[in-house]
Each structure stands twice: as C-alpha cells, then as structure tokens.
Amino acid sequence: MDGCTYHRIFQQNNHTDHEVRVVNNITEDDLVWCDVLNYSRHCLYAPEFLREMATKHNFKIVVDTDDVWITPEWHPLHNIWKDGTLTKQVENHLRNADAVTVTHNRLRNLVIDYKINDKVFVLPNSIPFDEGQYNEYFFPATDKIRLLYASSPM
C-alpha cells in the first residue's frame, strides 16, 4: 500500500464502520463487491470501462487527487508529462467520476475552474504531523560537513 492510499483512504476509513478492501489489481469480483470504487488520479483501466462496470454493477466512482496534474516546465517530471498524454488520462478519470476528492480548496477550485467535474470535495490529509515519524527533529549545529551516501540496492 502506498503512502497516498494509506493516508488518504485507509486511515480515514479505518475509523468508520465501513468495509475497506485495498487491491493493486481490480477484478470484476471486486467491482461486484463494492458500493464505491475509490482510486487515486488514474488507474490501469480506462474511465469508459470503469463507467460501464459502474453501470453494470451499480457502484459509484470517486477519484482522489492530492496534486496538480499539469506540470510546468521547471517541474522534475515535466518531460514525462509534457506530451499531455498523462494529463489527459488524469483529467478523463476526474471527469468520469461521480465525485472527486482533493486535499485543499485551491485544488478543488482548479478541478471546477477547468470544468472537469463540479462534484469536488475537500478531504484533508490525515497525516498526524505531531506523532511518530512526523515529529519535527532538530539536529544540533555543527561545523562538520554532513554527507549522506545513498546507494542502489544492487
């Protein structure tokens, strides 16, 4: 389970009386089982196929995005996104959704202003910034150089 799934879906539903199933590959059995299909930005299946399945099996589609899907030239992933294919895929998934969830109002307004979907709800991250790994750590000042070497696993 990736970080987005854990903090945006699993944690928030872990405290409810809902059944939550997390899968990497959606099967038709999963789609028959669910009342709501919730995924992040885009998935391996075309939005048209998911809409067909939603109609056939009577479930709702909710697409979550915690990031802007349009990359400016200075963005590190701009070369991957620049042809617009991924941008269009994300927009198609957002457009196809019965509802869209986002992390903040600026992102909500972007989805609405681009006329992608008007059923957009702010669902803040559930990251506990004051607990565990998210506590602030302060390192004492030093005159020494702090070198971190990160090697590949091979």
Side-chain angles (χ1 to χ4, degrees):
M1 176 181 324
D2 66 359
C4 284
T5 303
Y6 181 76
H7 290 293
R8 302 239 354 108
I9 309 300
F10 185 77
Q11 276 295 87
Q12 290 154 336
N13 286 291
N14 197 28
H15 304 291
T16 66
D17 194 24
H18 305 339
E19 289 183 55
V20 178
R21 185 185 289 183
V22 178
V23 298
N24 289 325
N25 296 309
I26 302 168
T27 66
E28 191 157 355
D29 286 342
D30 294 323
L31 299 176
V32 169
W33 173 84
C34 75
D35 296 308
V36 178
L37 169 63
N38 190 194
Y39 62 92
S40 180
R41 280 187 285 224
H42 65 291
C43 68
L44 297 175
Y45 300 99
E48 299 80 12
F49 171 77
L50 294 175
R51 176 55 52 208
E52 182 181 308
M53 291 292 104
T55 301
K56 179 179 178 182
H57 298 299
N58 196 31
F59 61 84
K60 299 293 183 188
I61 298 172
V62 177
V63 178
D64 181 70
T65 186
D66 63 342
D67 230 335
V68 177
W69 59 94
I70 303 161
T71 57
E73 287 185 23
W74 52 263
H75 192 281
L77 297 178
H78 177 70
N79 284 337
I80 295 171
W81 288 72
K82 71 180 176 185
D83 74 351
T85 303
L86 289 174
T87 298
K88 288 176 189 161
Q89 285 178 11
V90 171
E91 287 178 354
N92 286 338
H93 282 278
L94 295 172
R95 190 173 288 110
N96 182 62
D98 294 299
V100 173
T101 55
V102 298
T103 47
H104 51 80
N105 275 320
R106 281 189 336 234
L107 201 47
R108 177 184 181 274
N109 293 339
L110 187 66
V111 173
I112 292 170
D113 291 347
Y114 273 58
K115 300 190 183 331
I116 294 172
N117 199 316
D118 60 355
K119 295 177 194 89
V120 187
F121 303 90
V122 176
L123 185 65
N125 279 327
S126 64
I127 296 175
F129 285 107
D130 57 346
E131 297 176 17
Q133 71 181 15
Y134 299 103
N135 278 327
E136 286 192 55
Y137 294 99
F138 296 97
F139 297 97
T142 179
D143 291 336
K144 295 181 180 179
I145 294 174
R146 293 181 174 150
L147 173 67
L148 173 65
Y149 175 77
S151 173
S152 71
M154 294 191 186

